[in-house]
Amino acid sequence: MGREEWSSTLGFILASIGSAVGIGNIWRFPYIVGANGGGAFLVPYLVSVLLFGLPLMMLEFAIGRSTGMSVVSAFQSLRQRFSAAGLAIVVIVSLILSYYLVITSWVLAYALFFALNRPVDFGAFTGSYLPLIFFLLSGLAVFLTVRSGVREGIEKIARYLIPALVVILLFLVAFSLTEPGALEGVRFYLSPDYSKLADPAVWTAAFGQAFFSLSVGMGVMLTYGSYLKRGDLFRSASIIVVADMLIAILAGLMIFPLVFTAGVDPAAGVNLAFVTLPSVFVEMQFGMVLGALFFLMLFAAALTSAVSMLEVPVATLMDSYGYQRKRATLLVFAAVMLLGFPSALSYTALKLEIFGTPFLDLSDYAFGTIGLIVAGLILSIVGGWYMDRTRIYTEIGGCGWQQRVYMVLIRYCVPIILLITLLGSLFQVTG
Ligand code: PHE
């Protein structure tokens, strides 16, 4: 059997948008903007997306398409000894998935609670064992999608869920902007405080957010690129990047007007999605419907991202170890559920904590922040320095001055920026 393929470039673009648009856009981006200088944050964010995120995404597509293989085998084809580095990336993305699924499962639960007109207090919900059931359910949804294959699973759900997500988001934004607190919310969200740009922490926050939100540096885009045969990579990557940014910005435009209308704390940080917003919905007219729509949209975003993460280890088992898709998916699914169990338990009555920090938060820091940067570093160095230059040029359409600039970005700027971000993130915790 030949390698699976997307049915069209559009299918590939939608699946990649599905991967990029996730909890990172709708929940994380707005609160990070709020905490890092409002509108001024858009400057470092745009810089990191355009100068570092986009080139890295193109590099991943180029490696994937030109080798026609997923991370480990692709690395191995560049240099035999790089297979361990490839494996490290696969492990990191699986670990990220293990806790990402826990948050996905909370989203699913909240969508259901609102749809049933039974909003639940976050502490009471996570303190019960109910989250474990939802953890299993969302894991199953991801498992079944990936098991159905590239075209019939991954591409198909993106074709339905991404347009649906956009429609719901536009509706919610339109609704929020007509609320009495809209102006104040938008002002808080977008009015720039440029003095913040002098703070290096704001820049590292922007880099980290950009890489996470675009799903780059983790072999996801490499794997998706390996199912692609032709097409202009710059054009596809640009569409994906712009869509990802627009959705993140729109998410803030729906959230802050609601928060200000209700008069609750806009800087609630991570509590924004599961504590602040639900409390706003509960007080509002049509709040149950709006809440259900919001969490359904968030679930669609999270599901298509989780699917892309699961595809990385699954494709690795298929390419490097000759597994059939169905067996590979089952194996990885079981492993990820086991790995995610401590995170799923960390907010329950069991309170799985290490040094007083919930296991989930620890995973987010260790894998989602540090691990992600390390994986990105490996990818940019292996791809940028060890893949034949002419091969990259062939993939990205020639060797004019744009491609030469691109080469400098990918070989020097991206690794250096990732290194700085890594040091910044390590320092943040100890400093
Ligand atoms: N980009 C996704 C989000 O914004 C998260 C993700 C990270 C997905 C890494 C795949 C790989 O939520």
Side-chain angles (χ1 to χ4, degrees), residues 75-276:
F75 274 24
Q76 218 166 5
S77 79
L78 296 180
R79 293 284 188 290
Q80 190 64 30
R81 63 173 191 277
F82 285 160
S83 66
L87 210 55
I89 297 181
V90 175
V91 170
I92 291 173
V93 80
S94 310
L95 288 166
I96 296 180
L97 174 61
S98 74
Y99 79 83
Y100 194 88
L101 259 182
V102 175
I103 305 176
T104 306
S105 69
W106 295 349
V107 173
L108 177 63
Y110 268 65
L112 200 72
F113 295 156
F114 275 101
L116 296 175
N117 202 355
R118 289 226 159 71
V120 178
D121 173 66
F122 184 61
F125 164 64
T126 48
S128 72
Y129 287 97
L130 213 51
L132 290 180
I133 298 175
F134 284 98
F135 179 56
L136 197 68
L137 283 179
S138 16
L140 268 177
V142 177
F143 163 72
L144 290 175
T145 308
V146 173
R147 189 175 181 273
S148 307
V150 171
R151 231 185 249 196
E152 287 304 310
I154 302 174
E155 183 179 329
K156 204 176 216 171
I157 62 158
R159 277 182 188 273
Y160 288 107
L161 293 183
I162 297 304
L165 180 152
V166 171
V167 171
I168 296 179
L169 180 61
L170 289 176
F171 168 77
L172 290 175
V173 170
F175 182 92
S176 294
L177 289 179
T178 55
E179 289 287 289
L183 200 65
E184 219 186 326
V186 173
R187 210 175 280 148
F188 168 82
Y189 178 42
L190 292 180
S191 64
D193 170 5
Y194 287 111
S195 68
K196 288 262 186 188
L197 295 188
D199 181 359
V202 170
W203 287 82
T204 46
F207 298 142
Q209 173 63 20
F211 288 112
F212 186 83
S213 181
L214 293 174
S215 306
V216 295
M218 258 161 304
V220 167
M221 294 306 184
L222 190 158
T223 309
Y224 276 15
S226 74
Y227 304 126
L228 186 67
K229 283 285 161 312
R230 58 199 77 78
D232 181 344
L233 291 185
F234 176 67
R235 194 170 151 262
S236 299
S238 307
I239 296 174
I240 297 162
V241 162
V242 169
D244 186 69
M245 264 193 304
L246 279 180
I247 289 178
I249 292 172
L250 282 173
L253 276 184
M254 78 141 283
I255 288 175
F256 289 110
L258 292 184
V259 166
F260 274 83
T261 303
V264 290
D265 179 17
V270 289
N271 282 335
L272 195 60
F274 295 104
V275 180
T276 312

Side-chain angles (χ1 to χ4, degrees), residues 5-85:
E5 258 179 60
W6 304 109
S7 72
S8 65
T9 306
L10 178 69
F12 156 68
I13 291 179
L14 282 173
S16 304
I17 293 179
S19 172
V21 172
I23 298 173
N25 301 59
I26 298 171
W27 167 33
R28 200 165 183 264
F29 181 80
Y31 83 70
I32 292 207
V33 171
N36 288 287
F41 183 79
L42 293 179
V43 176
Y45 189 70
L46 270 175
V47 169
S48 31
V49 165
L50 297 179
L51 288 186
F52 314 119
L54 179 74
L56 194 52
M57 184 182 287
M58 284 173 63
L59 180 73
E60 287 201 38
F61 287 154
I63 304 175
R65 186 166 71 176
S66 101
T67 60
M69 289 185 273
S70 57
V71 191
V72 176
S73 339
F75 274 24
Q76 218 166 5
S77 79
L78 296 180
R79 293 284 188 290
Q80 190 64 30
R81 63 173 191 277
F82 285 160
S83 66

